[in-house]
Amino acid sequence: MWTELSDTAILKRLGTRLKAYRIARGMKQQELAAESGVGVSTIAKIESGQSVSFSLLISVMRTLGMLENLDLLVPEQKPSPMELLKMQGKQVKRVRTKKD
């Protein structure tokens, strides 16, 4: 579903969802802005699907109790069992390019 949408359409859909969360919690835009430490105009931008900085979005998500959803956005990368056997205690710190 998401892959078929433009970036603009995704922002609008996310804004609509965040607005629904705010309304379900009985909060006005002014209240959410004050508790999040952002401006009312930032809340309006988010809810209308305009782009804002990720740090502002995190502040709003924190206030709405949605931070646990960030794990779904960028899941932790875990090595496969085979990679664990190969590493045997070695931790990969960077990717090296092979020389010809």
Side-chain angles (χ1 to χ4, degrees):
M1 157 177 121
W2 293 99
T3 57
E4 296 149 8
L5 298 175
S6 68
D7 292 353
T8 303
I10 291 171
L11 287 170
K12 286 185 181 193
R13 189 164 292 182
L14 291 175
T16 300
R17 289 184 181 187
L18 286 169
K19 181 177 181 178
Y21 268 85
R22 174 183 61 78
I23 291 171
R25 283 160 181 70
M27 297 179 82
K28 295 182 179 182
Q29 284 184 336
Q30 295 83 356
E31 294 169 321
L32 179 56
E35 288 186 37
S36 300
V38 302
V40 176
S41 63
T42 299
I43 302 299
K45 283 180 180 181
I46 292 170
E47 291 182 356
S48 68
Q50 295 180 46
S51 183
V52 298
S53 76
F54 197 61
S55 61
L56 294 176
L57 182 60
I58 289 172
S59 296
V60 172
M61 289 178 67
R62 181 184 310 280
T63 302
L64 291 173
M66 300 176 68
L67 283 183
E68 65 277 355
N69 295 317
L70 290 177
D71 274 335
L72 297 172
L73 180 63
V74 183
E76 183 179 345
Q77 183 65 40
K78 296 183 180 180
S80 71
M82 287 303 293
E83 289 171 331
L84 288 173
L85 284 173
K86 287 178 186 176
M87 288 190 294
Q88 291 187 6
K90 296 179 185 176
Q91 187 175 24
V92 177
K93 295 184 182 182
R94 64 182 145 179
V95 177
R96 297 176 189 237
T97 57
K98 294 181 181 180
K99 294 181 182 179
D100 293 322

